[in-house]
């Protein structure tokens, strides 16, 4: 590029070099979006690296430079999506801790309400259902997705429940890893199998039942 000097002479002006990091981030985002769209439309088995590359407008070499397989692409794309939708819904990103206000029930209800909002977000729901279905059919893939996508989030519940134990809000003998299933598993089942509506009232009830039980309590005057 050339520009005029005050004397009327022209001189060459160096053109700024393109920002490679910005270009790479734009491509990465396009690949995330393409992968999630395709798995939601066609299912995991029919989603290919070639298809992802074509929809994202990049070469296959670009994808293979960053990931070794479509499973790796999808897991990273899904983690990114979960982070975005969780933050927008007021939830907790996977690398953070659950809130600890000192009120265990309130903290769990807050996070589970945000989880419902996330599960009902079409951007999250469509690809996650496709991946969940494939994980049932492909045991190895199911384990990989559980380990990399679900287990880190579940461990946040474990940490919060252990903190509650330390504060005396849970019995010392309770296993937090089993206890979290009292409210997480019914929510997942209802979402996967469409057995009922997903609402904040439903998750609040799960927390109440899990923390306070469902058996009637003896009156204060009853014999032990």
């Amino acid at each position: 590029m050339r520009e005029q000097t005050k004397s009327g002479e022209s001189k060459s002006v160096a053109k700024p070099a393109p920002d490679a990091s910005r270009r790479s981030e734009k491509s990465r985002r396009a690949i995330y979006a393409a992968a999630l769209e395709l798995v939601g439309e066609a299912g995991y088995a029919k989603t290919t690296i070639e298809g992802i590359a074509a929809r994202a407008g990049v070469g296959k070499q670009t994808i293979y430079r960053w990931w070794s397989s479509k499973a790796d692409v999808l897991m990273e794309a899904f983690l990114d999506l979960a982070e975005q939708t969780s933050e927008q819904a007021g939830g907790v990103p996977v690398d953070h801790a659950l809130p600890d206000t000192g009120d265990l029930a309130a903290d769990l209800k807050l996070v589970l309400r945000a989880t419902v909002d996330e599960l009902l977000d079409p951007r999250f729901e469509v690809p996650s259902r496709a991946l969940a279905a494939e994980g049932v059919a492909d045991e190895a893939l199911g384990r990989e997705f559980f380990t990399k996508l679900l287990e880190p989030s579940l461990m946040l519940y474990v940490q919060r429940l252990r903190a509650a134990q330390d504060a005396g809000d849970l019995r010392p003998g309770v296993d937090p890893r089993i206890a979290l299933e009292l409210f997480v598993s019914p929510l997942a089942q209802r979402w996967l199998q469409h057995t009922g509506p997903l609402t904040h009232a439903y998750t609040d009830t799960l927390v109440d039942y899990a923390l306070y039980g469902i058996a009637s309590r003896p009156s204060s005057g009853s014999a032990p």
Side-chain angles (χ1 to χ4, degrees):
M1 184 174 73
R2 305 184 73 83
E3 68 177 20
Q4 294 285 332
T5 64
K6 290 183 179 180
S7 62
E9 298 176 350
S10 63
K11 66 176 182 178
S12 297
V13 178
K15 187 177 182 180
D19 187 337
S21 63
R22 177 177 293 180
R23 184 173 65 248
S24 295
E25 180 61 18
K26 182 179 180 181
S27 296
R28 188 182 299 272
R29 287 287 163 192
I31 292 167
Y32 285 167
L36 293 171
E37 288 169 5
L38 284 173
V39 79
E41 293 171 9
Y44 179 84
K46 294 183 179 180
T47 298
T48 64
I49 292 292
E50 291 78 6
I52 295 171
R55 179 164 297 200
V58 303
K60 288 191 301 181
Q61 297 80 2
T62 298
I63 295 180
Y64 282 120
R65 185 165 65 245
W66 293 334
W67 300 281
S68 61
S69 67
K70 68 177 182 182
D72 289 338
V73 178
L74 281 162
M75 275 188 278
E76 190 171 310
F78 203 79
L79 280 171
D80 179 77
L81 174 65
E83 181 89 2
Q84 292 183 56
T85 54
S86 180
E87 289 178 346
Q88 291 167 7
V92 182
V94 293
D95 58 346
H96 290 57
L98 265 65
D100 188 347
T101 65
D103 185 334
L104 178 60
D107 293 342
L108 292 175
K109 289 177 181 180
L110 176 67
V111 174
L112 288 176
R113 285 182 172 204
T115 300
V116 164
D117 294 339
E118 180 178 294
L119 291 173
L120 296 178
D121 186 326
R123 296 172 303 160
F124 183 92
E125 182 179 18
V126 173
S128 60
R129 281 192 180 280
L131 294 175
E134 188 64 27
V136 173
D138 185 333
E139 185 177 349
L141 181 69
R143 283 198 303 268
E144 185 174 7
F145 274 99
F146 175 82
T147 300
K148 294 184 178 180
L149 295 177
L150 299 180
E151 186 65 15
S153 296
L154 294 179
M155 289 308 299
L156 299 181
Y157 285 97
V158 170
Q159 294 165 11
R160 180 63 185 89
L161 293 174
R162 283 178 177 158
Q165 277 184 315
D166 293 340
D169 295 329
L170 289 182
R171 298 198 311 271
V174 168
D175 183 335
R177 185 60 183 79
I178 296 176
L180 70 86
E181 295 179 11
L182 295 174
F183 41 86
V184 172
S185 295
L187 176 60
Q189 180 178 356
R190 177 170 285 210
W191 176 73
L192 284 169
Q193 300 181 359
H194 301 286
T195 56
L198 286 186
T199 65
H200 292 175
Y202 171 68
T203 53
D204 287 356
T205 301
L206 287 179
V207 172
D208 288 338
Y209 285 2
L211 293 183
Y212 308 122
I214 59 174
S216 60
R217 299 177 183 275
S219 63
S220 58
S222 300

